[in-house]
Short mmCIF file of all heavy atoms in Angstrom, two decimals:
data_model
loop_
_atom_site.label_atom_id
_atom_site.label_comp_id
_atom_site.label_asym_id
_atom_site.label_seq_id
_atom_site.Cartn_x
_atom_site.Cartn_y
_atom_site.Cartn_z
N MET A 154 -107.44 137.32 -72.02
CA MET A 154 -107.82 138.62 -72.52
C MET A 154 -108.28 139.48 -71.34
O MET A 154 -109.01 139.04 -70.47
CB MET A 154 -108.94 138.47 -73.55
CG MET A 154 -109.30 139.75 -74.25
SD MET A 154 -110.55 139.56 -75.54
CE MET A 154 -109.59 138.72 -76.78
N LYS A 155 -107.84 140.72 -71.32
CA LYS A 155 -108.20 141.64 -70.24
C LYS A 155 -109.66 142.07 -70.38
O LYS A 155 -110.15 142.34 -71.48
CB LYS A 155 -107.31 142.89 -70.28
CG LYS A 155 -105.85 142.59 -70.07
CD LYS A 155 -105.58 142.21 -68.65
CE LYS A 155 -104.09 142.02 -68.46
NZ LYS A 155 -103.74 141.70 -67.11
N GLN A 156 -110.36 142.13 -69.25
CA GLN A 156 -111.78 142.46 -69.20
C GLN A 156 -111.96 143.92 -68.76
O GLN A 156 -111.48 144.31 -67.69
CB GLN A 156 -112.49 141.56 -68.20
CG GLN A 156 -112.31 140.09 -68.47
CD GLN A 156 -113.06 139.66 -69.71
OE1 GLN A 156 -114.22 140.01 -69.90
NE2 GLN A 156 -112.39 138.89 -70.55
N VAL A 157 -112.68 144.70 -69.56
CA VAL A 157 -112.91 146.11 -69.27
C VAL A 157 -114.41 146.35 -69.17
O VAL A 157 -115.18 145.91 -70.02
CB VAL A 157 -112.32 147.01 -70.39
CG1 VAL A 157 -112.65 148.47 -70.14
CG2 VAL A 157 -110.82 146.81 -70.50
N LEU A 158 -114.81 147.09 -68.13
CA LEU A 158 -116.19 147.56 -68.01
C LEU A 158 -116.20 149.03 -68.34
O LEU A 158 -115.48 149.83 -67.73
CB LEU A 158 -116.71 147.34 -66.58
CG LEU A 158 -118.09 147.92 -66.27
CD1 LEU A 158 -119.16 147.35 -67.19
CD2 LEU A 158 -118.44 147.70 -64.81
N LEU A 159 -116.99 149.41 -69.32
CA LEU A 159 -117.12 150.80 -69.76
C LEU A 159 -118.51 151.29 -69.37
O LEU A 159 -119.52 150.75 -69.83
CB LEU A 159 -116.92 150.88 -71.28
CG LEU A 159 -117.19 152.21 -71.95
CD1 LEU A 159 -116.28 153.31 -71.39
CD2 LEU A 159 -117.03 152.08 -73.45
N ILE A 160 -118.55 152.32 -68.53
CA ILE A 160 -119.83 152.89 -68.08
C ILE A 160 -119.90 154.31 -68.65
O ILE A 160 -119.20 155.21 -68.20
CB ILE A 160 -119.93 152.91 -66.54
CG1 ILE A 160 -119.67 151.51 -65.98
CG2 ILE A 160 -121.31 153.43 -66.12
CD1 ILE A 160 -119.49 151.47 -64.48
N GLU A 161 -120.74 154.48 -69.65
CA GLU A 161 -120.83 155.74 -70.39
C GLU A 161 -122.24 155.89 -70.94
O GLU A 161 -122.75 154.98 -71.60
CB GLU A 161 -119.81 155.74 -71.53
CG GLU A 161 -119.92 156.86 -72.52
CD GLU A 161 -119.75 158.23 -71.90
OE1 GLU A 161 -118.67 158.53 -71.38
OE2 GLU A 161 -120.73 159.00 -71.94
N ASP A 162 -122.88 157.04 -70.67
CA ASP A 162 -124.25 157.24 -71.13
C ASP A 162 -124.36 157.75 -72.56
O ASP A 162 -125.42 157.66 -73.16
CB ASP A 162 -125.03 158.14 -70.16
CG ASP A 162 -124.42 159.52 -70.01
OD1 ASP A 162 -123.22 159.68 -70.31
OD2 ASP A 162 -125.13 160.44 -69.57
N GLU A 163 -123.29 158.27 -73.12
CA GLU A 163 -123.31 158.71 -74.52
C GLU A 163 -122.94 157.51 -75.39
O GLU A 163 -121.78 157.11 -75.46
CB GLU A 163 -122.35 159.86 -74.73
CG GLU A 163 -122.79 161.13 -74.03
CD GLU A 163 -121.90 162.31 -74.36
OE1 GLU A 163 -121.41 162.38 -75.53
OE2 GLU A 163 -121.70 163.14 -73.48
N LYS A 164 -123.93 156.95 -76.05
CA LYS A 164 -123.73 155.68 -76.77
C LYS A 164 -122.71 155.79 -77.89
O LYS A 164 -121.92 154.87 -78.09
CB LYS A 164 -125.07 155.16 -77.29
CG LYS A 164 -125.96 154.69 -76.16
CD LYS A 164 -127.23 154.05 -76.64
CE LYS A 164 -128.03 153.61 -75.41
NZ LYS A 164 -129.26 152.97 -75.78
N ASN A 165 -122.69 156.90 -78.62
CA ASN A 165 -121.71 157.04 -79.70
C ASN A 165 -120.28 157.06 -79.16
O ASN A 165 -119.39 156.43 -79.73
CB ASN A 165 -121.97 158.30 -80.53
CG ASN A 165 -123.20 158.16 -81.40
OD1 ASN A 165 -123.60 157.06 -81.77
ND2 ASN A 165 -123.81 159.28 -81.73
N LEU A 166 -120.07 157.76 -78.06
CA LEU A 166 -118.76 157.79 -77.44
C LEU A 166 -118.38 156.41 -76.92
O LEU A 166 -117.24 155.95 -77.09
CB LEU A 166 -118.72 158.81 -76.30
CG LEU A 166 -117.40 158.93 -75.54
CD1 LEU A 166 -116.25 159.27 -76.47
CD2 LEU A 166 -117.53 159.96 -74.43
N ALA A 167 -119.33 155.71 -76.30
CA ALA A 167 -119.07 154.36 -75.78
C ALA A 167 -118.69 153.41 -76.93
O ALA A 167 -117.76 152.60 -76.77
CB ALA A 167 -120.29 153.83 -75.05
N LEU A 168 -119.35 153.51 -78.05
CA LEU A 168 -119.04 152.65 -79.19
C LEU A 168 -117.64 152.94 -79.73
O LEU A 168 -116.90 152.03 -80.10
CB LEU A 168 -120.09 152.80 -80.28
CG LEU A 168 -121.47 152.26 -79.93
CD1 LEU A 168 -122.48 152.63 -81.01
CD2 LEU A 168 -121.43 150.76 -79.73
N PHE A 169 -117.27 154.22 -79.77
CA PHE A 169 -115.92 154.59 -80.23
C PHE A 169 -114.86 154.05 -79.29
O PHE A 169 -113.87 153.46 -79.72
CB PHE A 169 -115.81 156.11 -80.36
CG PHE A 169 -114.43 156.57 -80.70
CD1 PHE A 169 -113.94 156.42 -81.99
CD2 PHE A 169 -113.59 157.12 -79.74
CE1 PHE A 169 -112.65 156.83 -82.31
CE2 PHE A 169 -112.32 157.53 -80.05
CZ PHE A 169 -111.84 157.38 -81.34
N VAL A 170 -115.04 154.23 -77.99
CA VAL A 170 -114.08 153.74 -77.00
C VAL A 170 -113.99 152.22 -77.07
O VAL A 170 -112.90 151.63 -77.04
CB VAL A 170 -114.44 154.22 -75.58
CG1 VAL A 170 -113.55 153.57 -74.54
CG2 VAL A 170 -114.33 155.74 -75.49
N GLU A 171 -115.15 151.56 -77.19
CA GLU A 171 -115.18 150.10 -77.31
C GLU A 171 -114.38 149.64 -78.53
O GLU A 171 -113.58 148.69 -78.44
CB GLU A 171 -116.61 149.60 -77.42
CG GLU A 171 -116.71 148.12 -77.64
CD GLU A 171 -118.13 147.65 -77.92
OE1 GLU A 171 -118.93 148.43 -78.48
OE2 GLU A 171 -118.43 146.49 -77.58
N MET A 172 -114.56 150.30 -79.65
CA MET A 172 -113.85 149.93 -80.87
C MET A 172 -112.34 150.03 -80.67
O MET A 172 -111.59 149.13 -81.07
CB MET A 172 -114.30 150.84 -82.02
CG MET A 172 -113.63 150.55 -83.34
SD MET A 172 -114.22 151.60 -84.68
CE MET A 172 -113.71 153.21 -84.10
N GLU A 173 -111.89 151.11 -80.04
CA GLU A 173 -110.46 151.29 -79.82
C GLU A 173 -109.91 150.25 -78.84
O GLU A 173 -108.81 149.73 -79.03
CB GLU A 173 -110.17 152.71 -79.32
CG GLU A 173 -110.44 153.79 -80.35
CD GLU A 173 -109.57 153.64 -81.60
OE1 GLU A 173 -108.38 153.29 -81.48
OE2 GLU A 173 -110.09 153.85 -82.70
N LEU A 174 -110.66 149.96 -77.79
CA LEU A 174 -110.21 148.96 -76.82
C LEU A 174 -110.14 147.57 -77.45
O LEU A 174 -109.19 146.81 -77.22
CB LEU A 174 -111.13 148.94 -75.61
CG LEU A 174 -111.00 150.14 -74.67
CD1 LEU A 174 -112.14 150.16 -73.67
CD2 LEU A 174 -109.66 150.13 -73.95
N LYS A 175 -111.13 147.23 -78.26
CA LYS A 175 -111.12 145.93 -78.94
C LYS A 175 -109.95 145.83 -79.91
O LYS A 175 -109.35 144.77 -80.06
CB LYS A 175 -112.44 145.69 -79.66
CG LYS A 175 -113.56 145.31 -78.71
CD LYS A 175 -114.83 144.97 -79.45
CE LYS A 175 -115.87 144.41 -78.50
NZ LYS A 175 -117.09 143.99 -79.20
N HIS A 176 -109.61 146.95 -80.53
CA HIS A 176 -108.46 146.98 -81.42
C HIS A 176 -107.17 146.64 -80.66
O HIS A 176 -106.23 146.08 -81.22
CB HIS A 176 -108.34 148.35 -82.09
CG HIS A 176 -107.17 148.48 -83.01
ND1 HIS A 176 -107.13 147.87 -84.24
CD2 HIS A 176 -106.01 149.13 -82.87
CE1 HIS A 176 -105.98 148.15 -84.81
NE2 HIS A 176 -105.28 148.92 -84.01
N GLU A 177 -107.14 146.98 -79.38
CA GLU A 177 -105.99 146.69 -78.52
C GLU A 177 -106.15 145.36 -77.78
O GLU A 177 -105.44 145.09 -76.82
CB GLU A 177 -105.78 147.83 -77.53
CG GLU A 177 -105.44 149.16 -78.18
CD GLU A 177 -104.12 149.13 -78.93
OE1 GLU A 177 -103.20 148.39 -78.52
OE2 GLU A 177 -104.00 149.85 -79.94
N SER A 178 -107.09 144.54 -78.21
CA SER A 178 -107.32 143.18 -77.69
C SER A 178 -107.93 143.11 -76.30
O SER A 178 -107.69 142.16 -75.56
CB SER A 178 -106.02 142.37 -77.73
OG SER A 178 -105.56 142.28 -79.05
N PHE A 179 -108.73 144.10 -75.93
CA PHE A 179 -109.49 144.05 -74.69
C PHE A 179 -110.88 143.52 -74.99
O PHE A 179 -111.43 143.75 -76.06
CB PHE A 179 -109.63 145.44 -74.05
CG PHE A 179 -108.35 146.00 -73.51
CD1 PHE A 179 -107.58 146.86 -74.26
CD2 PHE A 179 -107.93 145.66 -72.24
CE1 PHE A 179 -106.41 147.39 -73.77
CE2 PHE A 179 -106.75 146.18 -71.72
CZ PHE A 179 -105.98 147.04 -72.50
N GLN A 180 -111.45 142.82 -74.03
CA GLN A 180 -112.86 142.43 -74.13
C GLN A 180 -113.65 143.49 -73.36
O GLN A 180 -113.35 143.77 -72.20
CB GLN A 180 -113.11 141.05 -73.55
CG GLN A 180 -114.54 140.62 -73.73
CD GLN A 180 -114.74 139.15 -73.39
OE1 GLN A 180 -113.79 138.41 -73.18
NE2 GLN A 180 -115.99 138.76 -73.31
N VAL A 181 -114.67 144.06 -73.98
CA VAL A 181 -115.38 145.19 -73.41
C VAL A 181 -116.83 144.84 -73.13
O VAL A 181 -117.53 144.29 -73.98
CB VAL A 181 -115.33 146.41 -74.37
CG1 VAL A 181 -116.06 147.60 -73.78
CG2 VAL A 181 -113.88 146.77 -74.71
N THR A 182 -117.29 145.19 -71.93
CA THR A 182 -118.69 145.13 -71.56
C THR A 182 -119.12 146.56 -71.31
O THR A 182 -118.42 147.32 -70.62
CB THR A 182 -118.90 144.27 -70.29
OG1 THR A 182 -118.41 142.96 -70.55
CG2 THR A 182 -120.36 144.23 -69.89
N LYS A 183 -120.26 146.95 -71.86
CA LYS A 183 -120.73 148.33 -71.73
C LYS A 183 -121.98 148.41 -70.86
O LYS A 183 -122.82 147.52 -70.88
CB LYS A 183 -121.07 148.91 -73.10
CG LYS A 183 -119.91 149.02 -74.03
CD LYS A 183 -120.27 149.68 -75.34
CE LYS A 183 -121.37 149.03 -76.12
NZ LYS A 183 -121.16 147.73 -76.66
N ALA A 184 -122.06 149.52 -70.13
CA ALA A 184 -123.28 149.88 -69.41
C ALA A 184 -123.56 151.34 -69.77
O ALA A 184 -122.64 152.16 -69.81
CB ALA A 184 -123.10 149.72 -67.91
N PHE A 185 -124.84 151.65 -70.01
CA PHE A 185 -125.20 153.00 -70.44
C PHE A 185 -125.84 153.83 -69.34
O PHE A 185 -126.31 154.94 -69.60
CB PHE A 185 -126.12 152.92 -71.66
CG PHE A 185 -125.45 152.27 -72.84
CD1 PHE A 185 -125.87 151.05 -73.31
CD2 PHE A 185 -124.39 152.88 -73.49
CE1 PHE A 185 -125.27 150.43 -74.39
CE2 PHE A 185 -123.77 152.29 -74.58
CZ PHE A 185 -124.21 151.06 -75.03
N ASP A 186 -125.88 153.30 -68.12
CA ASP A 186 -126.40 154.08 -66.99
C ASP A 186 -125.67 153.63 -65.72
O ASP A 186 -125.08 152.55 -65.67
CB ASP A 186 -127.92 153.92 -66.84
CG ASP A 186 -128.33 152.49 -66.56
OD1 ASP A 186 -128.23 152.07 -65.39
OD2 ASP A 186 -128.73 151.78 -67.50
N GLY A 187 -125.72 154.47 -64.71
CA GLY A 187 -125.00 154.21 -63.48
C GLY A 187 -125.48 152.99 -62.72
O GLY A 187 -124.68 152.23 -62.16
N LYS A 188 -126.78 152.77 -62.68
CA LYS A 188 -127.32 151.63 -61.94
C LYS A 188 -126.84 150.31 -62.52
O LYS A 188 -126.35 149.44 -61.81
CB LYS A 188 -128.85 151.68 -61.93
CG LYS A 188 -129.47 150.55 -61.13
CD LYS A 188 -130.99 150.63 -61.10
CE LYS A 188 -131.50 149.54 -60.21
NZ LYS A 188 -132.56 148.77 -60.72
N THR A 189 -126.96 150.17 -63.84
CA THR A 189 -126.48 148.96 -64.50
C THR A 189 -124.97 148.83 -64.35
O THR A 189 -124.45 147.74 -64.09
CB THR A 189 -126.86 148.98 -65.99
OG1 THR A 189 -128.27 149.13 -66.11
CG2 THR A 189 -126.42 147.70 -66.69
N GLY A 190 -124.27 149.94 -64.47
CA GLY A 190 -122.82 149.93 -64.31
C GLY A 190 -122.40 149.45 -62.94
O GLY A 190 -121.47 148.65 -62.80
N LEU A 191 -123.08 149.93 -61.91
CA LEU A 191 -122.77 149.51 -60.55
C LEU A 191 -123.03 148.02 -60.36
O LEU A 191 -122.20 147.30 -59.78
CB LEU A 191 -123.58 150.32 -59.53
CG LEU A 191 -123.38 149.95 -58.07
CD1 LEU A 191 -121.92 150.11 -57.65
CD2 LEU A 191 -124.30 150.76 -57.18
N GLU A 192 -124.16 147.55 -60.87
CA GLU A 192 -124.48 146.13 -60.77
C GLU A 192 -123.40 145.27 -61.44
O GLU A 192 -122.96 144.26 -60.89
CB GLU A 192 -125.85 145.85 -61.38
CG GLU A 192 -126.99 146.41 -60.56
CD GLU A 192 -128.34 146.38 -61.28
OE1 GLU A 192 -128.38 145.96 -62.47
OE2 GLU A 192 -129.33 146.78 -60.66
N LEU A 193 -122.98 145.67 -62.64
CA LEU A 193 -121.94 144.93 -63.35
C LEU A 193 -120.60 145.02 -62.62
O LEU A 193 -119.87 144.03 -62.53
CB LEU A 193 -121.80 145.44 -64.78
CG LEU A 193 -122.92 145.07 -65.74
CD1 LEU A 193 -122.79 145.87 -67.04
CD2 LEU A 193 -122.91 143.58 -66.03
N ALA A 194 -120.28 146.19 -62.10
CA ALA A 194 -119.01 146.38 -61.41
C ALA A 194 -118.90 145.48 -60.19
O ALA A 194 -117.82 144.94 -59.90
CB ALA A 194 -118.84 147.85 -61.01
N LEU A 195 -120.00 145.29 -59.49
CA LEU A 195 -120.00 144.48 -58.28
C LEU A 195 -120.13 142.98 -58.56
O LEU A 195 -119.85 142.16 -57.70
CB LEU A 195 -121.12 144.93 -57.34
CG LEU A 195 -121.00 146.34 -56.79
CD1 LEU A 195 -122.24 146.71 -56.00
CD2 LEU A 195 -119.74 146.49 -55.96
N ALA A 196 -120.54 142.63 -59.77
CA ALA A 196 -120.83 141.24 -60.10
C ALA A 196 -119.58 140.40 -60.34
O ALA A 196 -119.66 139.17 -60.26
CB ALA A 196 -121.73 141.17 -61.33
N ARG A 197 -118.46 141.03 -60.64
CA ARG A 197 -117.24 140.27 -60.95
C ARG A 197 -116.02 141.14 -60.79
O ARG A 197 -116.13 142.35 -60.56
CB ARG A 197 -117.32 139.71 -62.36
CG ARG A 197 -117.55 140.78 -63.41
CD ARG A 197 -117.61 140.24 -64.77
NE ARG A 197 -116.29 139.75 -65.13
CZ ARG A 197 -115.94 139.40 -66.34
NH1 ARG A 197 -116.81 139.45 -67.31
NH2 ARG A 197 -114.73 138.99 -66.60
N ASP A 198 -114.86 140.55 -60.94
CA ASP A 198 -113.60 141.30 -60.92
C ASP A 198 -113.27 141.74 -62.34
O ASP A 198 -113.35 140.95 -63.28
CB ASP A 198 -112.47 140.43 -60.38
CG ASP A 198 -112.60 140.15 -58.90
OD1 ASP A 198 -113.13 141.03 -58.19
OD2 ASP A 198 -112.19 139.08 -58.46
N TRP A 199 -112.91 143.00 -62.47
CA TRP A 199 -112.56 143.58 -63.77
C TRP A 199 -111.09 143.96 -63.75
O TRP A 199 -110.54 144.33 -62.72
CB TRP A 199 -113.41 144.83 -64.04
CG TRP A 199 -114.86 144.55 -64.10
CD1 TRP A 199 -115.76 144.62 -63.08
CD2 TRP A 199 -115.60 144.11 -65.23
NE1 TRP A 199 -117.01 144.25 -63.50
CE2 TRP A 199 -116.94 143.94 -64.83
CE3 TRP A 199 -115.26 143.84 -66.55
CZ2 TRP A 199 -117.93 143.51 -65.70
CZ3 TRP A 199 -116.25 143.42 -67.42
CH2 TRP A 199 -117.57 143.26 -66.99
N ASP A 200 -110.46 143.92 -64.90
CA ASP A 200 -109.09 144.41 -65.02
C ASP A 200 -109.08 145.93 -65.05
O ASP A 200 -108.12 146.56 -64.59
CB ASP A 200 -108.43 143.85 -66.29
CG ASP A 200 -108.28 142.34 -66.21
OD1 ASP A 200 -107.61 141.88 -65.26
OD2 ASP A 200 -108.84 141.64 -67.07
N LEU A 201 -110.15 146.52 -65.58
CA LEU A 201 -110.25 147.98 -65.68
C LEU A 201 -111.71 148.37 -65.74
O LEU A 201 -112.50 147.71 -66.42
CB LEU A 201 -109.53 148.47 -66.95
CG LEU A 201 -109.60 149.95 -67.27
CD1 LEU A 201 -108.82 150.75 -66.24
CD2 LEU A 201 -109.07 150.22 -68.67
N ILE A 202 -112.08 149.43 -65.04
CA ILE A 202 -113.41 150.02 -65.15
C ILE A 202 -113.22 151.46 -65.60
O ILE A 202 -112.54 152.24 -64.93
CB ILE A 202 -114.19 149.97 -63.83
CG1 ILE A 202 -114.42 148.52 -63.40
CG2 ILE A 202 -115.52 150.72 -63.96
CD1 ILE A 202 -115.08 148.37 -62.04
N LEU A 203 -113.80 151.81 -66.74
CA LEU A 203 -113.81 153.18 -67.24
C LEU A 203 -115.17 153.77 -66.94
O LEU A 203 -116.18 153.28 -67.44
CB LEU A 203 -113.54 153.22 -68.74
CG LEU A 203 -112.15 152.80 -69.18
CD1 LEU A 203 -112.06 152.76 -70.70
CD2 LEU A 203 -111.11 153.75 -68.62
N LEU A 204 -115.20 154.81 -66.12
CA LEU A 204 -116.45 155.38 -65.64
C LEU A 204 -116.57 156.85 -66.03
O LEU A 204 -115.66 157.64 -65.75
CB LEU A 204 -116.52 155.25 -64.11
CG LEU A 204 -117.65 155.97 -63.40
CD1 LEU A 204 -119.00 155.41 -63.81
CD2 LEU A 204 -117.46 155.87 -61.90
N ASP A 205 -117.66 157.19 -66.65
CA ASP A 205 -118.02 158.59 -66.91
C ASP A 205 -118.50 159.17 -65.59
O ASP A 205 -119.57 158.79 -65.10
CB ASP A 205 -119.11 158.65 -67.98
CG ASP A 205 -119.61 160.05 -68.24
OD1 ASP A 205 -119.12 161.01 -67.60
OD2 ASP A 205 -120.51 160.19 -69.08
N VAL A 206 -117.74 160.04 -64.97
CA VAL A 206 -118.11 160.56 -63.66
C VAL A 206 -119.22 161.60 -63.73
O VAL A 206 -119.73 162.03 -62.70
CB VAL A 206 -116.89 161.15 -62.91
CG1 VAL A 206 -115.88 160.06 -62.60
CG2 VAL A 206 -116.27 162.29 -63.66
N MET A 207 -119.63 161.99 -64.92
CA MET A 207 -120.72 162.96 -65.09
C MET A 207 -121.96 162.29 -65.67
O MET A 207 -122.68 162.87 -66.47
CB MET A 207 -120.26 164.09 -66.01
CG MET A 207 -119.10 164.91 -65.47
SD MET A 207 -119.52 165.81 -63.98
CE MET A 207 -120.59 167.05 -64.65
N LEU A 208 -122.23 161.06 -65.25
CA LEU A 208 -123.43 160.36 -65.72
C LEU A 208 -124.68 161.11 -65.33
O LEU A 208 -124.79 161.62 -64.22
CB LEU A 208 -123.50 158.95 -65.12
CG LEU A 208 -122.59 157.90 -65.71
CD1 LEU A 208 -122.64 156.63 -64.87
CD2 LEU A 208 -122.96 157.58 -67.14
N ALA A 209 -125.64 161.16 -66.22
CA ALA A 209 -126.93 161.78 -65.93
C ALA A 209 -127.62 161.01 -64.80
O ALA A 209 -127.53 159.78 -64.71
CB ALA A 209 -127.82 161.77 -67.18
N GLY A 210 -128.29 161.74 -63.92
CA GLY A 210 -129.05 161.11 -62.85
C GLY A 210 -128.24 160.75 -61.63
O GLY A 210 -128.76 160.12 -60.71
N THR A 211 -126.98 161.16 -61.57
CA THR A 211 -126.16 160.82 -60.41
C THR A 211 -126.19 161.91 -59.33
O THR A 211 -125.61 161.75 -58.28
CB THR A 211 -124.70 160.58 -60.81
OG1 THR A 211 -124.18 161.78 -61.39
CG2 THR A 211 -124.56 159.43 -61.77
N GLY A 212 -126.85 163.04 -59.64
CA GLY A 212 -126.89 164.13 -58.69
C GLY A 212 -125.66 165.01 -58.73
O GLY A 212 -125.52 165.93 -57.96
N ARG A 213 -124.75 164.73 -59.63
CA ARG A 213 -123.50 165.48 -59.73
C ARG A 213 -123.52 166.51 -60.84
O ARG A 213 -122.60 167.26 -61.00
CB ARG A 213 -122.34 164.53 -59.95
CG ARG A 213 -122.15 163.56 -58.84
CD ARG A 213 -120.89 163.83 -58.18
NE ARG A 213 -120.75 162.98 -57.02
CZ ARG A 213 -119.94 163.27 -56.06
NH1 ARG A 213 -119.21 164.34 -56.13
NH2 ARG A 213 -119.84 162.47 -55.02
N ASN A 214 -124.54 166.51 -61.69
CA ASN A 214 -124.57 167.46 -62.81
C ASN A 214 -125.87 168.19 -62.87
O ASN A 214 -126.80 167.94 -62.21
CB ASN A 214 -124.28 166.77 -64.14
CG ASN A 214 -125.11 165.53 -64.37
OD1 ASN A 214 -125.89 165.11 -63.51
ND2 ASN A 214 -124.93 164.94 -65.52
#
């Protein structure tokens, strides 16, 4: 099964994306902030990382 890391601070949107990915047989791990997302991203190899580039607290918004 393909492993996806989803980094998204809007929980409702993350849950919707997770539901759709699971429907397509992906295993999804979620992070709701950039720090946790970075830690998870570096902890293992992922088949796909979906990143919200406008995360709160990143200095970009």
Side-chain angles (χ1 to χ4, degrees):
M154 187 176 288
K155 299 288 184 178
Q156 304 290 314
V157 176
L158 174 59
L159 173 60
I160 306 169
E161 171 60 64
D162 60 339
E163 292 186 34
K164 290 185 180 181
N165 288 335
L166 179 58
L168 292 172
F169 175 76
V170 172
E171 176 187 29
M172 180 178 63
E173 292 299 321
L174 288 168
K175 284 185 172 183
H176 179 73
E177 297 296 328
S178 300
F179 291 96
Q180 184 170 350
V181 180
T182 301
K183 297 183 303 294
F185 298 112
D186 62 80
K188 182 178 184 227
T189 303
L191 178 59
E192 290 169 357
L193 287 169
L195 296 174
R197 56 180 292 191
D198 290 328
W199 298 93
D200 295 301
L201 176 68
I202 298 175
L203 293 175
L204 171 64
D205 175 0
V206 295
M207 298 295 289
L208 283 172
T211 62
R213 299 246 174 200
N214 50 356

